[in-house]
């Protein structure tokens, strides 16, 4: 792992900003992707030398004003800006680095009251701490692993299960990096990260992009072995009673083929549950 995460992040972000999008002329041979260091420093209103020291890790204590200027120059969204501040030590850390594995009983009751909406709670390391019956059915009872990152990168069925696997993989790693930036000393996060860096070239390649963003409203396409194609909308919510936990709920467009498939999945899940109790 890099000893200069702030510099690595700055360098990766400027590579994503084209001169044209920043309102700068693009003339002559450019040896780097995106913006040059000189261009970032000009846009952020600081000396080139100071910016170079930030990227090289020789300057480790930038002010909030400097970070704000860099966030604007590099066109960071809210998650990217938060991650930048965390890397510089200027965002509040959680009071406890370790997330509790206990899910509030009231939340569990709420999830169980959604028979047609797969719902699950996971921590910053993407361990599934709880899920309702239909979510268990959607993810195959987690027979491979209860860690969503392991499911995405190491489950042999992942690329057929997730119809848009490259997008799912990229978003998963970006969300994992955001959680890592919030609590880099969380032992479970470090264990999962080290396992992937050592055992998955694909994860490592995506991790090196330095993308950091949380889950937002998005659509996921699944190919389920029992009910076929599913296109589901996803909503993500922070669990305020347990910082570091996140609730994800899926739903289908009403009266759509996916809604019918989801209903069938719920029936199959209920039947399986009943068989287990008899």
């Amino acid at each position: 792992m890099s000893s200069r995460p702030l510099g690595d992040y700055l360098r990766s972000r400027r590579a994503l900003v084209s001169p044209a999008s920043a309102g700068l002329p693009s003339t002559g041979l450019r040896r780097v992707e995106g913006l040059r260091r000189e261009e970032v420093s000009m846009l952020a209103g600081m000396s080139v030398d100071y910016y170079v020291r930030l990227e090289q890790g020789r300057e480790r204590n930038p002010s909030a004003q400097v970070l704000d200027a860099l966030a604007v120059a590099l066109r960071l969204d809210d998650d990217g800006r938060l991650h930048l501040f965390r890397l510089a030590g200027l965002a509040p850390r959680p009071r406890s680095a370790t997330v509790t594995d206990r899910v509030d009983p009231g939340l569990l009751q709420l999830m169980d009251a959604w028979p047609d909406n797969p719902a699950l709670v996971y921590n910053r390391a993407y361990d599934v701490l709880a899920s309702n019956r239909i979510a268990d059915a959607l993810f195959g009872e987690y027979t491979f692993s209860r860690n969503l990152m392991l499911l995405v990168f190491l489950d042999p069925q992942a690329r057929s299960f997730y119809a848009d696997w490259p997008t799912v993989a990229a978003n998963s790693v970006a969300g994992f990096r955001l959680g890592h930036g919030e609590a880099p000393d969380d032992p479970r996060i470090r264990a999962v990260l080290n396992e992937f860096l050592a055992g998955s070239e694909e994860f490592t390649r995506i991790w090196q992009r330095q993308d950091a963003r949380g889950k937002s409203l998005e659509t996921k396409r699944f190919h389920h072995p029992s009910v076929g194609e599913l296109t589901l909308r996803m909503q993500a919510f922070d669990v305020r009673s347990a910082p570091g936990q996140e609730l994800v709920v899926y739903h289908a467009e009403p009266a759509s083929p996916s809604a019918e498939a989801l209903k069938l999945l719920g029936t199959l899940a209920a039947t399986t549950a009943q068989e287990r109790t008899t």
Side-chain angles (χ1 to χ4, degrees):
M1 294 174 62
S2 174
S3 60
R4 52 184 189 189
L6 175 61
D8 291 343
Y9 186 61
L10 290 171
R11 185 164 50 255
S12 72
R13 296 308 91 182
R14 70 177 169 90
L16 299 178
V17 182
S18 68
S21 68
L24 299 174
S26 180
T27 57
L29 179 64
R30 301 184 69 87
R31 295 182 299 172
V32 297
E33 292 185 55
L35 298 178
R36 300 185 178 103
R37 288 170 171 172
E38 296 84 356
E39 292 168 333
V40 176
S41 64
M42 179 189 68
L43 291 170
M46 63 187 66
S47 71
V48 177
D49 178 67
Y50 183 80
Y51 179 75
V52 169
R53 294 204 309 272
L54 283 172
E55 275 203 6
Q56 293 178 345
R58 294 186 288 122
E59 172 56 60
R60 299 175 181 270
N61 299 292
S63 67
Q65 291 80 6
V66 165
L67 296 177
D68 274 330
L70 287 171
V72 173
L74 297 173
R75 298 177 169 264
L76 301 183
D77 59 16
D78 289 343
D79 285 337
R81 180 179 179 278
L82 176 60
H83 188 62
L84 177 68
F85 272 68
R86 283 174 176 163
L87 292 178
L90 291 182
R93 298 288 188 190
R95 285 172 292 181
S96 173
T98 303
V99 179
T100 177
D101 288 343
R102 178 182 181 274
V103 179
D104 185 274
L107 179 55
L108 293 176
Q109 290 178 356
L110 180 64
M111 293 164 61
D112 287 340
W114 297 330
D116 299 323
N117 297 98
L120 54 90
V121 175
Y122 61 89
N123 59 18
R124 296 188 190 104
Y126 278 46
D127 296 316
V128 177
L129 306 178
S131 60
N132 61 7
R133 183 184 294 168
I134 193 171
D136 292 341
L138 176 62
F139 288 95
E141 304 293 333
Y142 308 101
T143 52
F144 183 81
S145 173
R146 288 189 69 85
N147 182 279
L148 296 176
M149 296 293 289
L150 287 170
L151 287 176
V152 170
F153 284 95
L154 299 183
D155 186 346
Q157 307 302 319
R159 292 172 189 268
S160 58
F161 177 64
Y162 294 106
D164 303 302
W165 186 89
T167 299
V168 171
N171 288 342
S172 298
V173 176
F176 186 86
R177 181 178 283 282
L178 195 66
H180 176 269
E182 183 179 9
D185 296 325
D186 184 316
R188 177 58 182 158
I189 291 179
R190 295 179 67 178
V192 172
L193 176 58
N194 289 336
E195 179 178 355
F196 276 109
L197 291 176
S200 174
E201 293 183 1
E202 202 134 29
F203 173 91
T204 301
R205 176 180 57 80
I206 300 174
W207 178 259
Q208 289 172 345
R209 296 181 193 169
Q210 302 283 330
D211 295 336
R213 59 180 175 273
K215 289 187 180 298
S216 58
L217 178 64
E218 61 177 285
T219 299
K220 278 189 177 180
R221 296 192 301 135
F222 301 91
H223 181 79
H224 195 276
S226 298
V227 300
E229 301 296 329
L230 288 159
T231 298
L232 303 178
R233 300 281 279 175
M234 185 189 80
Q235 296 272 7
F237 310 89
D238 291 331
V239 180
R240 295 188 64 182
S241 62
Q245 292 183 6
E246 192 162 73
L247 167 68
V248 172
V249 184
Y250 294 93
H251 67 96
E253 190 70 25
S256 67
S258 292
E260 292 300 315
L262 202 56
K263 185 176 180 179
L264 174 59
L265 184 63
T267 300
L268 295 175
T271 302
T272 299
Q274 186 175 15
E275 290 174 348
R276 288 174 178 172
T277 58
T278 58

